[in-house]
């Protein structure tokens, strides 16, 4: 059987986190760029499916393809690393400095990758800026405005709501990373990873990297947004902080049984 027992899953996660901490800066940046572009592409796929079927859950069913590709290729996705790097730090196999460096370089890579794909997609959807009738143009604009102005209208409650939805998202994203370790076969890994990602996307929780694509490309397409609104209405930094805090709490609890087994 290709099922991997929880004890081995935990050990594999620790080693994976330690390996991430040892990556070179160029590796983190390039892998982060590729992950950002792949997740952005999966987002437009999900939007396309939702628009064509008028059924958002269809888009949610397809979105996990991006996450699966990223994990199987061994790329860097910061929201997934929130599950692995803190665990390696808690087990003394990586330093806090290397963990934070990984987060910083990978996030920068995500931004670059999302912007590159976003620019190319905007040109594609608008036929090189000559036709704004593509249905996804308005869909992306509306989504980007909802993800910024919609929260800004709620004031501080909106900021709190962003943090809550980010934490709910990362429960599922980090679980997706964990589930990838529960099988030794490619098909098993794909099936296991698919479930948590479907759950978060289908419920509209907030994923930082998805928003690194949606909000900027919405602005490219004409969304009435400004950097000051982006900073107040939804700060990308808020979600990684919330997710890191959640990851540390979860991994602090799960690390205890590992010590006892030694």
């Amino acid at each position: 059987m290709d099922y991997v027992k929880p004890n081995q899953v935990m050990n594999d996660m620790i080693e994976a986190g330690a390996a991430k901490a040892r990556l070179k800066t160029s590796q983190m940046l390039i892998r982060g760029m590729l992950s950002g572009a792949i997740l952005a592409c999966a987002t437009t796929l999900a939007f396309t499916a939702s628009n064509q079927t008028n059924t958002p859950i269809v888009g949610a069913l397809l979105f996990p393809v991006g996450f699966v590709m990223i994990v199987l290729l061994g790329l860097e996705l910061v929201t997934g690393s929130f599950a692995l790097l803190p665990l390696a730090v808690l087990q003394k196999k990586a330093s806090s400095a290397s963990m934070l460096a990984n987060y910083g370089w990978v996030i920068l890579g995500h931004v670059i990758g999302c912007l590159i794909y976003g620019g190319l997609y905007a040109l594609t959807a608008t036929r090189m800026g000559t036709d704004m009738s593509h249905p996804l143009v308005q869909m992306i604009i509306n989504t980007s405005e909802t993800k910024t102005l919609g929260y800004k209208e709620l004031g501080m409650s909106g900021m709190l709501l962003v943090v809550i939805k980010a934490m709910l998202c990362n429960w599922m994203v980090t679980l997706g990373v964990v589930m990838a370790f529960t099988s030794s076969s490619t098909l098993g890994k794909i099936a296991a990873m698919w479930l948590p990602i479907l759950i978060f996307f289908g419920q509209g929780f907030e994923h930082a990297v998805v928003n690194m694509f949606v909000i900027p490309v919405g602005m490219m397409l004409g969304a009435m947004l400004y950097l000051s609104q982006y900073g107040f209405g939804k700060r990308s930094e808020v979600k990684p902080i919330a997710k890191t805090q959640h990851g540390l709490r979860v991994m602090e609890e799960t690390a205890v049984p590992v010590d006892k087994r030694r």
Side-chain angles (χ1 to χ4, degrees), residues 1-4 68 71-72 179-193:
M1 294 181 64
D2 59 7
Y3 173 68
V4 180
V68 167
V71 174
L72 291 181
M179 294 293 282
F181 289 95
T182 63
S183 175
S184 59
S185 72
T186 301
L187 287 177
K189 288 178 179 291
I190 292 173
M193 285 186 281

Side-chain angles (χ1 to χ4, degrees), residues 118-137 140 217 221:
L120 295 175
Y121 185 80
L123 291 173
T124 301
T126 62
R127 295 183 148 208
M128 301 302 289
T130 63
D131 183 3
M132 301 296 288
S133 64
H134 193 291
L136 256 65
V137 170
I140 292 174
V217 78
L221 293 172

Side-chain angles (χ1 to χ4, degrees), residues 9-256:
V9 168
M10 180 64 69
N11 291 329
D12 291 344
M13 289 175 62
I14 295 170
E15 294 304 321
K20 286 178 177 292
R22 292 193 296 267
L23 290 175
K24 298 178 181 179
T25 299
S26 59
Q27 292 175 313
M28 291 184 283
L29 188 60
I30 293 172
R31 294 182 189 190
M33 289 173 59
L34 292 172
S35 293
I38 290 172
L39 209 63
C41 190
T43 301
T44 54
L45 171 65
F47 284 179
T48 300
S50 298
N51 178 74
Q52 291 178 345
T53 64
N54 290 319
T55 308
I57 194 63
V58 175
L61 284 167
L62 294 178
F63 175 77
V65 67
F67 182 85
V68 167
M69 291 168 63
I70 290 168
V71 174
L72 291 181
L73 290 172
L75 302 178
E76 289 294 305
L77 182 65
V78 69
T79 48
S81 295
F82 289 146
L84 303 177
L85 281 165
L87 185 56
V89 170
L90 290 170
Q91 294 299 307
K92 310 299 183 184
K93 293 203 171 186
S95 66
S96 297
S98 63
M99 177 182 71
L100 295 176
N102 179 282
Y103 290 166
W105 287 112
V106 171
I107 288 173
L108 177 60
H110 290 339
V111 172
I112 295 172
C114 287
L115 289 177
I116 291 174
Y117 178 78
L120 295 175
Y121 185 80
L123 291 173
T124 301
T126 62
R127 295 183 148 208
M128 301 302 289
T130 63
D131 183 3
M132 301 296 288
S133 64
H134 193 291
L136 256 65
V137 170
Q138 192 58 49
M139 185 176 185
I140 292 174
I141 290 174
N142 293 341
T143 302
S144 64
E145 291 179 346
T146 298
K147 287 177 172 291
T148 50
L149 302 181
Y151 291 107
K152 182 179 180 181
E153 292 174 355
L154 298 176
M156 291 307 299
S157 295
M159 292 297 292
L160 178 60
L161 179 59
V162 171
V163 174
I164 292 172
K165 294 177 75 173
M167 292 179 66
L168 292 174
C169 170
N170 214 53
W171 281 351
M172 294 298 102
V173 176
T174 52
L175 184 58
V177 172
V178 174
M179 294 293 282
F181 289 95
T182 63
S183 175
S184 59
S185 72
T186 301
L187 287 177
K189 288 178 179 291
I190 292 173
M193 285 186 281
W194 207 280
L195 303 176
I197 308 306
L198 163 64
I199 290 173
F200 101 73
F201 198 88
Q203 296 185 84
F205 297 150
E206 296 291 353
H207 192 283
V209 183
V210 170
N211 290 332
M212 290 176 193
F213 161 73
V214 173
I215 296 174
V217 78
M219 296 171 71
M220 294 178 195
L221 293 172
M224 300 302 292
L225 305 174
Y226 304 95
L227 292 179
S228 59
Q229 294 172 323
Y230 183 34
F232 178 82
K234 176 192 288 289
R235 296 178 60 185
S236 294
E237 296 89 340
V238 170
K239 289 178 289 186
I241 290 172
K243 292 178 179 182
T244 301
Q245 291 172 339
H246 170 255
L248 283 168
R249 287 197 299 271
V250 172
M251 295 312 161
E252 191 171 25
E253 295 176 2
T254 56
V256 175

